Amino acid sequence: VQLQASGGGLAQVGGSLRLSCAASGRTSRAYAMAWFRQAPGKERELVGVIGQRTRLVDSVKGRFTISRDNGKDTVFLQMNSLKPEDTAVYYCASSPYYGAAYDEVWRYDVWGQGTLVTVSS
């Protein structure tokens, strides 16, 4: 199984970006997909997860949307009203815990390569 993330780049404060993560090699769709991010000098943190449940962390609620196209086995992260603190490398990940929405990095067994999002003022 492989995850390929794309869509990062440079955005202005208040701007938008859309990240995509395409999965390949799976035979089942019964898994959760998530976006994490890691800013310089900080730990990797959950941004949002979608499976049987959908969850976004408080810092991005109202600005970000996570969605999934099961037919294409792709998950998206629409990021609006971007702030400088959103600057980070964003990673997509998948977890076999389809019914849960976990924060912990260790619960996700497949990771994409990361895509850099830079928000400048």
Side-chain angles (χ1 to χ4, degrees):
V1 177
Q2 290 186 327
L3 302 178
Q4 181 70 40
S6 60
L10 177 65
Q12 299 291 321
V13 170
S16 299
L17 286 172
R18 188 188 194 214
L19 305 183
S20 301
C21 178
S24 60
R26 287 196 190 273
T27 58
S28 169
R29 298 292 188 265
Y31 52 91
M33 291 288 290
W35 287 98
F36 284 77
R37 66 186 180 186
Q38 188 166 19
K42 295 188 176 181
E43 293 186 352
R44 194 169 297 189
E45 63 175 3
L46 178 72
V47 177
V49 57
I50 184 167
Q52 198 167 45
R53 296 177 54 197
T54 299
R55 175 184 165 214
L56 290 165
V57 297
D58 288 346
S59 60
V60 305
K61 280 182 181 177
R63 301 188 298 121
F64 291 11
T65 303
I66 188 168
S67 61
R68 184 170 179 173
D69 182 336
N70 284 326
K72 296 181 179 179
D73 207 1
T74 300
V75 64
F76 304 97
L77 185 69
Q78 178 66 45
M79 305 185 293
N80 299 327
S81 302
L82 284 163
K83 301 177 180 180
E85 52 263 43
D86 295 319
T87 295
V89 177
Y90 284 70
Y91 298 88
C92 60
S94 70
S95 164
Y97 302 103
Y98 179 64
Y102 291 121
D103 292 88
E104 298 89 345
V105 169
W106 63 268
R107 294 194 184 267
Y108 295 82
D109 58 351
V110 182
W111 290 82
Q113 82 283 11
T115 184
L116 177 63
V117 171
T118 303
V119 183
S120 69
S121 55

